[in-house]
Amino acid sequence: MSGTEKTKAHIEQAKGKAKEAMGRMTGNQRMTADGHADQAKGNARQAKEDVKDTLRH
């Protein structure tokens, strides 16, 4: 996995977790949903890079 893409995936996942937690603490359902979506994007990015790595080897 490319170092920059790996970093972007982890940042997106962490940002999503933080946003989701803040949404739950404040009772803001939209923020919670946005956080969950950010985590999903990070997971998708990581999965894409894992497939690329698998195909290279």
Side-chain angles (χ1 to χ4, degrees), residues 7 10 14 21 26 29-30 32 34 43 46-47 52 55-56:
T7 302
H10 287 295
T26 61
Q29 291 179 349
R30 182 174 179 172
T32 303
D34 286 346
N43 291 338
Q46 188 170 358
K52 283 176 158 178
L55 293 176
R56 284 186 204 157

Side-chain angles (χ1 to χ4, degrees), residues 6-24:
K6 183 178 182 180
T7 302
K8 286 180 185 178
H10 287 295
I11 289 171
E12 205 155 26
Q13 290 168 343
K15 182 176 89 170
K17 285 181 185 180
K19 197 183 276 189
E20 184 177 5
M22 184 60 74
R24 285 187 182 176

